[in-house]
Structures are given as structure tokens and as C-alpha cells.
Amino acid sequence: MKNRILNYYDRIEKLLDKDSPDTDWEDLLAEHKTQIAFFQHERFVHLLVTVLFAILTFMSLIAFAALQQLAFGILCVPLFILLIPYIGHYYLLENTTQKMYIQYDRILAHIRADKQKDK
């Protein structure tokens, strides 16, 4: 997913920077809306997974501290190890999706500029 979102973002960025008159901005806007929806869904799922892992990690940490049982301490280690990449991946999804909103606005600006030219 990381490569997919970054490659898509870069492709749209290049199209926006190129500002080619051959670009069909209306089609690009429709595609961008669809891709943003996919990434928003992915972001939401990863938010749920990240929150679940955070809750499980802290619950096992509290259980270890309260009950002094080694099993809870051992459980904390893999949960914490998994929590770190989940947070990193969610961070990537959140920030890239936010940047895509800016791209969306830039595509809209191109469409509006083209409509002004046609008048």
C-alpha cells in the first residue's frame, strides 16, 4: 500500500507540475476522487487497527504492572513492536491523503481556469 499511495501521489504531482494542455482535468478529477475514497477507507481501517493495538499494548502493560506475571510482560514486547510500524503506516496514509486534498483543489483550479478561457 505504501508504494501504491506514494506512486499515485507522485504521478498526480507530475501532471499538475507539467500543466499540459492535453490533460483532461475533468477525467483526472473523477479518478482522483475515486483514489482519495480508496485511500480514506484504507486510512480508516488502519486507524482502527492502530487503536486496537495501542489499547492491547497498554492493557497488557497495565496487567503486567498490576499482576506481576511474566506472560503479560512477554505479550507487551510483540504488541509494542507491531504498534510502531502501524503508527508509521497510519502516519503515511493520513499525511498523504491530506496532501491529496490539496492536489484535488489544484485540479479544480485547472478546471475553473479552463472554463474561464472558454468564455
Side-chain angles (χ1 to χ4, degrees):
M1 179 54 69
K2 177 182 178 179
N3 289 336
R4 185 175 193 278
I5 195 168
L6 292 176
N7 289 337
Y8 178 76
Y9 175 80
D10 289 342
R11 183 174 71 85
I12 299 302
E13 221 23 59
K14 287 175 186 170
L15 284 171
L16 286 165
D17 290 342
K18 186 177 174 185
D19 196 17
S20 171
D22 297 337
T23 304
D24 186 344
W25 296 108
E26 298 278 348
D27 283 348
L28 186 62
L29 184 68
E31 176 193 354
H32 203 55
K33 279 183 182 179
T34 302
Q35 292 299 319
I36 286 174
F38 289 153
F39 294 131
Q40 284 174 330
H41 175 71
E42 185 76 17
R43 181 179 67 176
F44 179 69
V45 169
H46 277 278
L47 173 65
L48 294 177
V49 170
T50 302
V51 168
L52 175 66
F53 264 86
I55 290 170
L56 289 174
T57 301
F58 286 107
M59 284 177 60
S60 63
L61 187 62
I62 291 168
F64 175 65
L67 302 175
Q68 301 282 318
Q69 291 188 0
L70 186 59
F72 288 113
I74 293 171
L75 180 61
C76 287
V77 174
L79 287 174
F80 188 73
I81 290 171
L82 287 172
L83 182 61
I84 292 169
Y86 277 128
I87 290 170
H89 188 65
Y90 179 75
Y91 180 83
L92 170 82
L93 289 170
E94 177 68 31
N95 288 325
T96 308
T97 305
Q98 294 291 326
K99 290 176 186 176
M100 285 182 191
Y101 297 154
I102 295 168
Q103 288 178 328
Y104 179 87
D105 292 339
R106 290 173 62 194
I107 295 168
L108 275 177
H110 279 282
I111 292 170
R112 289 182 183 129
D114 287 348
K115 286 182 181 178
Q116 288 295 329
K117 288 178 192 175
D118 292 341
K119 285 186 179 182

